[in-house]
Amino acid sequence: MNTTVTPFQHRHAAHCESGAAANLMTHHGAKLSEAMAFGLSSALSFAYLPFIKLTGFPLIAYRMPPKFILKGMSKPFQAHFRFETFRAPEAGMRRLDELLAQGQVVGLQTSVFWLPYFPEDMRFHFNAHNLLVYGKDGDDYLISDPVADLPQRCASADLQRARFAKGALAPKGLLYFLEGVGRTEVRAEAVKSAIKKTVRIMLGPIPLIGVRGMRMLANRVAKLDTSEHSLNYVGHIVRMQEEIGTGGAGFRFIYAAFLQEAAQITGLTELSVLSERLNETGDGWREFALKAARMIKGRESFEPKKLADMLRGQAERETEFFRALKTAVA
Amino acid sequence: MDVNDVPQEGNCTLGSHRKALYAKDAEGMMVIVPSRGSEVDETVTMQAVHRMNALAEEAKTRVLAGQSAPLEYWMCARRMDVALLSQISGIWQWRIRRHFNPQRFSQLSPRLLARYAEALGLTTAQLQTRP
Protein backbone atom coordinates (compact mmCIF):
# COMPACT_ATOMS: atom_id res chain seq x y z
CA MET A 1 0.00 0.00 0.00
CA ASN A 2 1.21 3.45 -0.91
CA THR A 3 1.71 5.95 1.85
CA THR A 4 3.07 9.47 1.62
CA VAL A 5 2.87 11.78 4.59
CA THR A 6 4.47 15.19 5.02
CA PRO A 7 5.05 16.15 8.66
CA PHE A 8 2.50 18.86 9.24
CA GLN A 9 1.14 20.65 12.29
CA HIS A 10 -2.66 20.79 12.29
CA ARG A 11 -4.12 23.81 14.05
CA HIS A 12 -7.81 24.31 14.74
CA ALA A 13 -9.18 27.55 13.30
CA ALA A 14 -12.43 29.50 13.42
CA HIS A 15 -12.59 30.01 9.68
CA CYS A 16 -11.53 27.75 6.82
CA GLU A 17 -9.64 30.15 4.59
CA SER A 18 -7.74 32.13 7.21
CA GLY A 19 -6.96 28.83 8.94
CA ALA A 20 -5.69 27.23 5.73
CA ALA A 21 -3.62 30.32 4.88
CA ALA A 22 -2.07 30.60 8.35
CA ASN A 23 -1.28 26.90 8.65
CA LEU A 24 0.23 26.74 5.18
CA MET A 25 2.37 29.85 5.76
CA THR A 26 3.51 28.51 9.13
CA HIS A 27 4.44 25.22 7.47
CA HIS A 28 6.70 27.22 5.17
CA GLY A 29 8.46 29.03 8.00
CA ALA A 30 6.47 32.25 8.32
CA LYS A 31 4.98 31.69 11.78
CA LEU A 32 1.58 33.24 11.63
CA SER A 33 -1.65 33.02 13.61
CA GLU A 34 -5.05 32.67 12.01
CA ALA A 35 -6.04 36.11 13.32
CA MET A 36 -2.92 37.68 11.76
CA ALA A 37 -3.67 36.04 8.38
CA PHE A 38 -7.24 37.33 8.61
CA GLY A 39 -6.32 40.88 9.57
CA LEU A 40 -3.30 41.21 7.32
CA SER A 41 -5.36 40.35 4.26
CA SER A 42 -8.07 42.89 5.26
CA ALA A 43 -10.67 40.14 5.15
CA LEU A 44 -13.14 41.68 7.60
CA SER A 45 -16.15 43.08 5.82
CA PHE A 46 -19.90 43.19 5.53
CA ALA A 47 -21.93 42.71 2.38
CA TYR A 48 -25.65 42.36 1.83
CA LEU A 49 -26.19 40.95 -1.65
CA PRO A 50 -29.91 40.50 -2.33
CA PHE A 51 -29.34 39.54 -5.99
CA ILE A 52 -27.36 36.43 -5.04
CA LYS A 53 -29.80 33.86 -3.69
CA LEU A 54 -29.05 30.90 -1.45
CA THR A 55 -32.12 28.64 -1.25
CA GLY A 56 -34.21 31.71 -1.91
CA PHE A 57 -32.54 34.05 0.59
CA PRO A 58 -29.96 36.79 0.02
CA LEU A 59 -26.25 36.31 0.54
CA ILE A 60 -25.03 38.12 3.64
CA ALA A 61 -21.27 37.98 3.97
CA TYR A 62 -19.20 39.21 6.90
CA ARG A 63 -15.89 38.92 5.09
CA MET A 64 -14.31 39.39 1.67
CA PRO A 65 -14.89 36.85 -1.13
CA PRO A 66 -13.15 33.45 -1.34
CA LYS A 67 -9.41 33.40 -2.19
CA PHE A 68 -9.06 36.96 -0.85
CA ILE A 69 -7.13 35.86 2.26
CA LEU A 70 -4.78 33.57 0.36
CA LYS A 71 -4.01 36.28 -2.15
CA GLY A 72 -3.61 38.75 0.70
CA MET A 73 -0.57 36.78 1.89
CA SER A 74 1.38 37.48 -1.30
CA LYS A 75 2.45 41.06 -0.67
CA PRO A 76 3.28 41.14 3.06
CA PHE A 77 5.27 37.90 2.88
CA GLN A 78 6.40 37.95 -0.74
CA ALA A 79 4.68 34.59 -0.89
CA HIS A 80 4.31 32.85 -4.24
CA PHE A 81 1.12 30.87 -4.37
CA ARG A 82 0.38 28.71 -7.31
CA PHE A 83 -3.30 28.14 -8.17
CA GLU A 84 -4.33 25.41 -10.59
CA THR A 85 -7.75 24.35 -11.84
CA PHE A 86 -8.59 21.34 -13.97
CA ARG A 87 -11.12 20.42 -16.60
CA ALA A 88 -10.83 16.66 -16.05
CA PRO A 89 -11.28 15.35 -12.50
CA GLU A 90 -8.76 12.55 -13.16
CA ALA A 91 -6.10 15.11 -14.07
CA GLY A 92 -6.86 17.06 -10.90
CA MET A 93 -6.46 13.97 -8.73
CA ARG A 94 -3.24 12.95 -10.53
CA ARG A 95 -1.76 16.39 -9.97
CA LEU A 96 -2.67 16.25 -6.27
CA ASP A 97 -0.93 12.88 -5.91
CA GLU A 98 2.10 14.20 -7.76
CA LEU A 99 2.42 17.22 -5.45
CA LEU A 100 1.97 15.08 -2.35
CA ALA A 101 4.72 12.76 -3.61
CA GLN A 102 6.98 15.84 -3.87
CA GLY A 103 6.30 16.56 -0.20
CA GLN A 104 4.02 19.56 -0.74
CA VAL A 105 1.14 20.42 1.53
CA VAL A 106 -1.68 21.20 -0.88
CA GLY A 107 -4.69 23.46 -0.35
CA LEU A 108 -8.00 22.59 -1.98
CA GLN A 109 -11.25 24.39 -2.58
CA THR A 110 -14.17 22.00 -2.15
CA SER A 111 -17.89 21.72 -1.69
CA VAL A 112 -19.05 21.07 1.86
CA PHE A 113 -21.95 18.85 0.86
CA TRP A 114 -19.87 16.00 -0.55
CA LEU A 115 -17.32 15.77 2.28
CA PRO A 116 -18.34 12.66 4.25
CA TYR A 117 -16.58 13.66 7.47
CA PHE A 118 -18.78 16.72 7.87
CA PRO A 119 -21.68 16.21 10.29
CA GLU A 120 -24.88 15.37 8.41
CA ASP A 121 -26.78 18.50 9.45
CA MET A 122 -23.94 20.80 8.43
CA ARG A 123 -23.74 19.48 4.89
CA PHE A 124 -25.17 22.01 2.49
CA HIS A 125 -24.23 23.16 -1.00
CA PHE A 126 -21.46 25.62 -0.31
CA ASN A 127 -18.59 25.39 -2.75
CA ALA A 128 -15.87 27.61 -1.30
CA HIS A 129 -14.60 25.51 1.57
CA ASN A 130 -10.83 25.36 2.09
CA LEU A 131 -8.80 22.48 3.44
CA LEU A 132 -5.21 21.26 3.33
CA VAL A 133 -4.03 17.80 2.26
CA TYR A 134 -0.76 16.61 3.76
CA GLY A 135 -0.65 12.96 2.78
CA LYS A 136 -2.19 9.88 1.31
CA ASP A 137 -2.61 6.50 2.92
CA GLY A 138 -3.80 3.84 0.46
CA ASP A 139 -7.03 5.26 -1.00
CA ASP A 140 -7.50 7.81 1.80
CA TYR A 141 -6.28 11.39 1.77
CA LEU A 142 -5.02 12.81 5.06
CA ILE A 143 -6.72 16.13 5.56
CA SER A 144 -6.11 19.06 7.83
CA ASP A 145 -9.48 20.80 7.74
CA PRO A 146 -8.97 24.05 9.64
CA VAL A 147 -12.47 24.09 11.08
CA ALA A 148 -12.18 20.55 12.48
CA ASP A 149 -10.38 20.15 15.79
CA LEU A 150 -8.68 16.92 14.65
CA PRO A 151 -7.13 15.80 11.33
CA GLN A 152 -9.54 13.95 9.04
CA ARG A 153 -9.44 11.27 6.34
CA CYS A 154 -11.35 11.19 3.10
CA ALA A 155 -11.62 8.49 0.42
CA SER A 156 -10.41 9.59 -3.01
CA ALA A 157 -13.79 9.16 -4.77
CA ASP A 158 -15.48 11.44 -2.20
CA LEU A 159 -12.72 14.02 -2.34
CA GLN A 160 -12.88 14.08 -6.13
CA ARG A 161 -16.63 14.65 -6.00
CA ALA A 162 -16.19 17.51 -3.49
CA ARG A 163 -13.44 19.13 -5.57
CA PHE A 164 -15.40 19.01 -8.79
CA ALA A 165 -18.84 19.96 -7.46
CA LYS A 166 -20.74 22.24 -9.80
CA GLY A 167 -22.94 25.27 -9.23
CA ALA A 168 -22.20 28.72 -7.76
CA LEU A 169 -18.50 29.22 -6.90
CA ALA A 170 -17.69 25.84 -8.49
CA PRO A 171 -14.13 25.01 -7.39
CA LYS A 172 -13.17 23.31 -10.70
CA GLY A 173 -10.74 21.18 -8.77
CA LEU A 174 -8.81 24.25 -7.56
CA LEU A 175 -5.63 23.36 -5.74
CA TYR A 176 -2.93 25.67 -4.44
CA PHE A 177 0.47 25.42 -2.86
CA LEU A 178 3.33 27.69 -1.87
CA GLU A 179 6.32 27.89 -4.15
CA GLY A 180 8.26 30.08 -1.78
CA VAL A 181 8.10 32.64 1.00
CA GLY A 182 10.35 35.69 0.76
CA ARG A 183 9.80 37.12 4.23
CA THR A 184 8.88 35.40 7.48
CA GLU A 185 8.31 38.41 9.76
CA VAL A 186 5.26 40.65 9.85
CA ARG A 187 6.17 44.32 9.31
CA ALA A 188 4.40 47.19 11.07
CA GLU A 189 3.88 48.92 7.72
CA ALA A 190 1.98 45.94 6.30
CA VAL A 191 -0.25 45.80 9.37
CA LYS A 192 -1.07 49.50 9.16
CA SER A 193 -1.92 49.46 5.49
CA ALA A 194 -4.08 46.36 5.97
CA ILE A 195 -6.03 48.16 8.70
CA LYS A 196 -6.48 51.22 6.49
CA LYS A 197 -7.86 49.03 3.75
CA THR A 198 -10.40 47.45 6.10
CA VAL A 199 -11.52 50.91 7.26
CA ARG A 200 -11.99 51.95 3.61
CA ILE A 201 -14.13 48.88 2.93
CA MET A 202 -16.28 49.26 6.04
CA LEU A 203 -16.88 53.01 5.69
CA GLY A 204 -16.93 53.02 1.90
CA PRO A 205 -19.44 54.63 -0.41
CA ILE A 206 -21.19 51.54 -1.82
CA PRO A 207 -24.62 51.13 -0.19
CA LEU A 208 -24.53 47.32 0.02
CA ILE A 209 -21.07 47.07 1.52
CA GLY A 210 -19.75 47.84 4.99
CA VAL A 211 -21.82 49.65 7.62
CA ARG A 212 -24.16 50.97 4.91
CA GLY A 213 -24.92 47.36 3.98
CA MET A 214 -25.91 46.71 7.59
CA ARG A 215 -28.37 49.60 7.42
CA MET A 216 -29.80 48.27 4.12
CA LEU A 217 -30.31 44.88 5.74
CA ALA A 218 -31.94 46.56 8.75
CA ASN A 219 -34.40 48.33 6.42
CA ARG A 220 -35.20 45.01 4.74
CA VAL A 221 -35.77 43.30 8.09
CA ALA A 222 -38.01 46.15 9.28
CA LYS A 223 -40.31 45.42 6.32
CA LEU A 224 -40.76 41.72 7.14
CA ASP A 225 -44.25 40.53 8.05
CA THR A 226 -44.84 37.86 10.69
CA SER A 227 -45.18 34.87 8.34
CA GLU A 228 -43.30 31.60 8.46
CA HIS A 229 -41.23 32.80 5.51
CA SER A 230 -40.09 35.85 7.48
CA LEU A 231 -39.04 33.63 10.37
CA ASN A 232 -37.01 31.56 7.92
CA TYR A 233 -35.49 34.77 6.57
CA VAL A 234 -34.36 35.79 10.05
CA GLY A 235 -33.05 32.27 10.71
CA HIS A 236 -31.09 32.53 7.49
CA ILE A 237 -29.45 35.81 8.59
CA VAL A 238 -28.35 34.24 11.86
CA ARG A 239 -27.21 31.07 10.11
CA MET A 240 -25.04 33.11 7.74
CA GLN A 241 -23.72 34.96 10.77
CA GLU A 242 -22.97 32.07 13.08
CA GLU A 243 -22.87 28.80 11.19
CA ILE A 244 -21.89 29.15 7.58
CA GLY A 245 -18.34 30.14 6.68
CA THR A 246 -19.20 33.83 6.73
CA GLY A 247 -19.20 34.12 10.56
CA GLY A 248 -20.39 37.58 11.60
CA ALA A 249 -19.77 37.74 15.31
CA GLY A 250 -16.88 35.29 15.05
CA PHE A 251 -15.04 37.50 12.59
CA ARG A 252 -15.31 40.46 14.96
CA PHE A 253 -13.61 38.36 17.63
CA ILE A 254 -10.93 37.17 15.21
CA TYR A 255 -10.27 40.75 14.17
CA ALA A 256 -10.09 41.77 17.84
CA ALA A 257 -7.40 39.12 18.29
CA PHE A 258 -5.61 40.53 15.26
CA LEU A 259 -5.71 44.07 16.71
CA GLN A 260 -4.08 42.80 19.89
CA GLU A 261 -1.21 41.34 17.90
CA ALA A 262 -1.14 44.46 15.74
CA ALA A 263 -0.71 46.65 18.84
CA GLN A 264 2.48 44.77 19.69
CA ILE A 265 3.90 44.81 16.18
CA THR A 266 3.20 48.50 15.52
CA GLY A 267 3.67 49.75 19.08
CA LEU A 268 0.33 51.56 18.82
CA THR A 269 -1.21 50.88 22.25
CA GLU A 270 -4.48 52.44 21.11
CA LEU A 271 -5.09 49.29 19.06
CA SER A 272 -5.48 47.12 22.18
CA VAL A 273 -8.16 49.50 23.46
CA LEU A 274 -9.89 49.21 20.09
CA SER A 275 -9.57 45.43 20.26
CA GLU A 276 -11.60 45.58 23.45
CA ARG A 277 -14.24 47.75 21.76
CA LEU A 278 -14.55 45.37 18.81
CA ASN A 279 -15.04 42.55 21.27
CA GLU A 280 -18.12 44.39 22.50
CA THR A 281 -19.38 44.78 18.94
CA GLY A 282 -19.01 41.03 18.53
CA ASP A 283 -21.08 40.55 21.67
CA GLY A 284 -23.70 42.83 20.11
CA TRP A 285 -23.93 40.50 17.09
CA ARG A 286 -24.32 37.56 19.45
CA GLU A 287 -27.14 39.31 21.29
CA PHE A 288 -28.85 39.88 17.95
CA ALA A 289 -28.51 36.15 17.15
CA LEU A 290 -29.86 35.21 20.58
CA LYS A 291 -32.86 37.51 20.22
CA ALA A 292 -33.63 36.13 16.75
CA ALA A 293 -33.32 32.53 17.97
CA ARG A 294 -35.75 33.22 20.83
CA MET A 295 -38.27 34.59 18.34
CA ILE A 296 -37.80 31.55 16.08
CA LYS A 297 -38.37 29.24 19.02
CA GLY A 298 -41.48 31.17 19.97
CA ARG A 299 -40.19 32.14 23.40
CA GLU A 300 -40.67 35.76 22.43
CA SER A 301 -43.18 37.27 20.04
CA PHE A 302 -41.77 37.86 16.57
CA GLU A 303 -41.17 41.56 16.10
CA PRO A 304 -39.04 42.29 13.03
CA LYS A 305 -38.80 45.97 14.02
CA LYS A 306 -36.91 45.11 17.20
CA LEU A 307 -34.40 43.09 15.21
CA ALA A 308 -34.04 45.88 12.68
CA ASP A 309 -33.29 48.31 15.50
CA MET A 310 -30.61 46.01 16.84
CA LEU A 311 -29.02 45.88 13.39
CA ARG A 312 -29.07 49.68 13.15
CA GLY A 313 -27.44 49.83 16.56
CA GLN A 314 -24.69 47.51 15.31
CA ALA A 315 -24.19 49.69 12.23
CA GLU A 316 -23.93 52.75 14.45
CA ARG A 317 -21.39 51.13 16.80
CA GLU A 318 -19.27 49.83 13.95
CA THR A 319 -19.29 53.23 12.22
CA GLU A 320 -17.85 54.83 15.35
CA PHE A 321 -15.45 51.97 15.83
CA PHE A 322 -13.97 52.15 12.32
CA ARG A 323 -13.68 55.93 12.52
CA ALA A 324 -11.66 55.53 15.69
CA LEU A 325 -9.58 52.82 14.02
CA LYS A 326 -8.89 55.15 11.12
CA THR A 327 -7.60 57.84 13.48
CA ALA A 328 -5.48 55.30 15.36
CA VAL A 329 -3.43 54.26 12.32
CA ALA A 330 -3.43 57.63 10.56
CA MET B 1 -16.60 37.47 24.73
CA ASP B 2 -14.90 36.05 27.79
CA VAL B 3 -13.49 32.53 27.88
CA ASN B 4 -16.23 31.59 30.37
CA ASP B 5 -18.92 32.89 28.01
CA VAL B 6 -17.92 30.58 25.16
CA PRO B 7 -21.05 28.52 24.60
CA GLN B 8 -20.68 24.86 25.59
CA GLU B 9 -24.38 24.04 25.53
CA GLY B 10 -23.87 21.36 22.92
CA ASN B 11 -25.21 21.66 19.40
CA CYS B 12 -26.47 18.34 18.04
CA THR B 13 -25.78 19.45 14.45
CA LEU B 14 -22.03 19.52 15.09
CA GLY B 15 -21.85 15.76 15.70
CA SER B 16 -18.60 15.10 17.53
CA HIS B 17 -16.93 18.18 16.00
CA ARG B 18 -16.04 21.28 17.93
CA LYS B 19 -15.91 24.87 16.69
CA ALA B 20 -13.00 27.19 17.35
CA LEU B 21 -14.10 30.48 18.87
CA TYR B 22 -12.01 33.47 19.92
CA ALA B 23 -12.50 34.74 23.44
CA LYS B 24 -10.68 36.79 26.07
CA ASP B 25 -8.83 34.92 28.80
CA ALA B 26 -8.19 36.07 32.39
CA GLU B 27 -5.18 38.17 31.28
CA GLY B 28 -7.27 39.89 28.61
CA MET B 29 -5.58 38.02 25.74
CA MET B 30 -7.67 36.70 22.86
CA VAL B 31 -7.27 32.93 22.58
CA ILE B 32 -8.95 30.10 20.66
CA VAL B 33 -11.42 28.07 22.70
CA PRO B 34 -13.00 24.90 21.28
CA SER B 35 -16.76 25.13 21.63
CA ARG B 36 -19.41 22.42 21.77
CA GLY B 37 -21.76 24.89 20.14
CA SER B 38 -24.70 26.93 21.30
CA GLU B 39 -28.45 26.64 21.37
CA VAL B 40 -28.69 29.63 19.03
CA ASP B 41 -26.67 27.88 16.31
CA GLU B 42 -28.65 24.71 16.85
CA THR B 43 -31.96 26.55 16.55
CA VAL B 44 -31.20 28.16 13.20
CA THR B 45 -29.48 25.12 11.70
CA MET B 46 -32.30 22.83 12.71
CA GLN B 47 -34.79 25.34 11.34
CA ALA B 48 -33.07 25.10 7.95
CA VAL B 49 -32.74 21.30 8.15
CA HIS B 50 -36.41 20.90 9.09
CA ARG B 51 -37.43 23.11 6.22
CA MET B 52 -35.43 20.99 3.76
CA ASN B 53 -36.73 17.74 5.27
CA ALA B 54 -40.32 18.99 5.10
CA LEU B 55 -39.89 19.77 1.40
CA ALA B 56 -38.53 16.25 0.81
CA GLU B 57 -41.47 14.73 2.71
CA GLU B 58 -43.97 16.71 0.65
CA ALA B 59 -42.25 15.63 -2.56
CA LYS B 60 -42.31 12.03 -1.38
CA THR B 61 -46.07 12.17 -0.79
CA ARG B 62 -46.59 13.59 -4.27
CA VAL B 63 -44.39 10.92 -5.85
CA LEU B 64 -46.18 8.10 -4.04
CA ALA B 65 -49.53 9.54 -5.12
CA GLY B 66 -48.34 9.48 -8.72
CA GLN B 67 -48.42 13.28 -9.02
CA SER B 68 -44.70 13.78 -9.37
CA ALA B 69 -41.60 11.94 -10.53
CA PRO B 70 -38.90 10.51 -8.22
CA LEU B 71 -36.63 13.25 -9.61
CA GLU B 72 -38.38 15.85 -7.47
CA TYR B 73 -37.98 13.76 -4.34
CA TRP B 74 -34.27 13.11 -4.93
CA MET B 75 -33.65 16.76 -5.66
CA CYS B 76 -35.14 17.72 -2.28
CA ALA B 77 -33.42 14.85 -0.50
CA ARG B 78 -30.09 16.15 -1.82
CA ARG B 79 -30.97 19.56 -0.33
CA MET B 80 -31.28 21.23 -3.71
CA ASP B 81 -33.96 23.38 -5.27
CA VAL B 82 -34.76 23.72 -8.97
CA ALA B 83 -32.41 26.68 -9.38
CA LEU B 84 -29.47 24.82 -7.86
CA LEU B 85 -30.16 21.56 -9.72
CA SER B 86 -30.31 23.60 -12.91
CA GLN B 87 -26.92 25.19 -12.16
CA ILE B 88 -25.36 21.85 -11.34
CA SER B 89 -26.83 19.77 -14.16
CA GLY B 90 -26.83 22.49 -16.81
CA ILE B 91 -30.48 21.72 -17.61
CA TRP B 92 -32.89 24.65 -17.84
CA GLN B 93 -35.21 25.19 -14.90
CA TRP B 94 -38.39 24.96 -16.96
CA ARG B 95 -37.21 21.64 -18.39
CA ILE B 96 -36.54 20.27 -14.91
CA ARG B 97 -40.04 21.30 -13.83
CA ARG B 98 -41.47 19.51 -16.88
CA HIS B 99 -39.52 16.41 -15.96
CA PHE B 100 -41.31 16.34 -12.59
CA ASN B 101 -44.25 15.02 -14.60
CA PRO B 102 -44.17 11.24 -13.94
CA GLN B 103 -45.12 10.37 -17.49
CA ARG B 104 -42.44 12.58 -19.05
CA PHE B 105 -39.91 11.37 -16.54
CA SER B 106 -40.51 7.73 -17.47
CA GLN B 107 -39.73 8.58 -21.10
CA LEU B 108 -36.45 10.42 -20.45
CA SER B 109 -33.51 9.34 -22.55
CA PRO B 110 -30.74 7.40 -20.78
CA ARG B 111 -28.43 10.33 -21.47
CA LEU B 112 -30.60 12.85 -19.66
CA LEU B 113 -31.19 10.42 -16.81
CA ALA B 114 -27.44 10.01 -16.49
CA ARG B 115 -26.99 13.78 -16.28
CA TYR B 116 -29.52 14.05 -13.48
CA ALA B 117 -28.03 11.04 -11.70
CA GLU B 118 -24.54 12.55 -11.92
CA ALA B 119 -25.71 15.91 -10.57
CA LEU B 120 -27.48 14.25 -7.65
CA GLY B 121 -24.72 11.75 -6.91
CA LEU B 122 -26.95 8.74 -7.59
CA THR B 123 -27.01 5.77 -9.94
CA THR B 124 -29.60 5.93 -12.71
CA ALA B 125 -31.39 3.01 -11.10
CA GLN B 126 -31.64 4.86 -7.78
CA LEU B 127 -32.93 7.95 -9.53
CA GLN B 128 -35.78 5.94 -11.04
CA THR B 129 -36.72 4.27 -7.76
CA ARG B 130 -39.65 5.64 -5.81
CA PRO B 131 -38.66 6.88 -2.34
Side-chain angles (χ1 to χ4, degrees), chain A residues 34 123 125 161 243 260, chain B residues 22 28 39 45 78-79 118:
Chain A
E34 180 199 11
R123 287 170 64 182
H125 295 277
R161 174 119 222 160
E243 288 282 73
Q260 252 183 6
Chain B
Y22 283 78
E39 203 191 332
T45 304
R78 289 301 199 207
R79 299 183 175 173
E118 164 67 25

Side-chain angles (χ1 to χ4, degrees), chain A residues 87-102:
Chain A
R87 210 168 285 163
E90 297 73 26
M93 295 310 275
R94 243 194 336 267
R95 179 70 173 142
L96 174 61
D97 289 346
E98 196 180 300
L99 288 166
L100 289 174
Q102 289 169 18

Side-chain angles (χ1 to χ4, degrees), chain A residues 22 29 82 107 111 123 140 167 169 208 212 271 276-277 279 284 308:
Chain A
R82 191 126 158 217
S111 143
R123 287 170 64 182
D140 278 353
L169 301 172
L208 299 171
R212 297 187 64 188
L271 293 182
E276 184 62 29
R277 258 176 81 177
N279 238 319

Side-chain angles (χ1 to χ4, degrees), chain B residues 27-38:
Chain B
E27 278 86 55
M29 293 304 289
M30 297 293 288
V31 291
I32 289 186
V33 185
S35 159
R36 297 236 161 256
S38 76

Side-chain angles (χ1 to χ4, degrees), chain A residues 180-215:
Chain A
V181 178
R183 187 182 283 131
T184 54
E185 296 297 317
V186 184
R187 289 170 313 131
E189 265 324 295
V191 171
K192 277 196 214 163
S193 74
I195 292 176
K196 281 178 192 161
K197 191 167 169 191
T198 296
V199 170
R200 267 204 306 279
I201 294 165
M202 291 304 293
L203 299 180
I206 308 166
L208 299 171
I209 311 289
V211 292
R212 297 187 64 188
M214 291 175 202
R215 292 205 177 92

Side-chain angles (χ1 to χ4, degrees), chain A:
Chain A
M1 199 180 271
N2 264 342
T3 311
T4 45
V5 186
T6 306
F8 178 75
Q9 177 74 48
H10 173 74
R11 280 190 298 178
H12 195 191
H15 173 57
C16 66
E17 193 178 338
S18 47
N23 292 352
L24 199 53
M25 295 295 294
T26 302
H27 180 69
H28 282 264
K31 276 186 87 62
L32 175 70
S33 69
E34 180 199 11
M36 190 40 84
F38 187 78
L40 210 49
S41 55
S42 312
L44 187 76
S45 175
F46 184 92
Y48 163 59
L49 306 173
F51 40 85
I52 302 180
K53 298 275 185 210
L54 301 172
T55 56
F57 295 112
L59 177 68
I60 302 155
Y62 297 78
R63 55 137 166 114
M64 298 301 277
K67 253 159 95 178
F68 195 85
I69 301 177
L70 290 164
K71 287 185 173 163
M73 296 295 98
S74 305
K75 222 170 132 189
F77 294 104
Q78 296 171 338
H80 297 284
F81 275 98
R82 191 126 158 217
F83 294 90
E84 293 176 18
T85 54
F86 304 88
R87 210 168 285 163
E90 297 73 26
M93 295 310 275
R94 243 194 336 267
R95 179 70 173 142
L96 174 61
D97 289 346
E98 196 180 300
L99 288 166
L100 289 174
Q102 289 169 18
Q104 287 280 359
V105 173
V106 185
L108 300 179
Q109 185 186 333
T110 69
S111 143
V112 171
F113 187 81
W114 301 104
L115 286 176
Y117 62 82
F118 256 75
E120 180 66 27
D121 290 330
M122 300 290 284
R123 287 170 64 182
F124 47 87
H125 295 277
F126 174 69
N127 278 340
H129 185 60
N130 282 278
L131 52 85
L132 300 174
V133 185
Y134 62 92
K136 192 178 184 186
D137 178 17
D139 187 51
D140 278 353
Y141 287 91
L142 307 179
I143 290 175
S144 160
D145 190 317
V147 297
D149 46 352
L150 300 169
Q152 305 289 328
R153 296 173 84 96
C154 184
S156 65
D158 293 321
L159 190 64
Q160 176 173 329
R161 174 119 222 160
R163 288 180 67 194
F164 289 90
K166 290 189 185 131
L169 301 172
K172 301 192 180 95
L174 176 72
L175 63 77
Y176 51 86
F177 55 98
L178 264 171
E179 287 182 314
V181 178
R183 187 182 283 131
T184 54
E185 296 297 317
V186 184
R187 289 170 313 131
E189 265 324 295
V191 171
K192 277 196 214 163
S193 74
I195 292 176
K196 281 178 192 161
K197 191 167 169 191
T198 296
V199 170
R200 267 204 306 279
I201 294 165
M202 291 304 293
L203 299 180
I206 308 166
L208 299 171
I209 311 289
V211 292
R212 297 187 64 188
M214 291 175 202
R215 292 205 177 92
M216 290 273 285
L217 179 63
N219 292 342
R220 176 70 188 88
V221 170
K223 279 191 210 126
L224 289 176
D225 53 22
T226 48
S227 65
E228 185 70 27
H229 180 267
S230 296
L231 271 176
N232 279 319
Y233 191 109
V234 169
H236 171 78
I237 298 175
V238 177
R239 210 157 72 90
M240 298 234 60
Q241 179 185 320
E242 297 294 332
E243 288 282 73
I244 304 180
T246 65
F251 286 165
R252 269 63 194 166
F253 297 128
I254 298 179
Y255 204 77
F258 159 72
L259 288 179
Q260 252 183 6
E261 279 190 55
Q264 297 203 324
I265 292 171
T266 58
L268 297 169
T269 45
E270 176 67 11
L271 293 182
S272 0
V273 182
L274 287 166
S275 158
E276 184 62 29
R277 258 176 81 177
L278 190 58
N279 238 319
E280 286 161 21
T281 313
D283 287 334
W285 284 107
R286 284 180 68 221
E287 275 163 35
F288 168 78
L290 187 64
K291 188 79 155 177
R294 291 181 63 88
M295 290 181 181
I296 291 164
K297 280 222 152 174
R299 288 186 198 147
E300 242 177 83
S301 60
F302 180 39
E303 292 174 63
K305 286 224 158 45
K306 266 192 195 166
L307 294 174
D309 284 340
M310 287 181 94
L311 283 174
R312 286 199 189 97
Q314 282 302 102
E316 198 46 48
R317 275 204 243 178
E318 295 212 352
T319 308
E320 282 170 30
F321 168 80
F322 284 104
R323 282 195 186 136
L325 189 58
K326 187 178 183 178
T327 327
V329 292

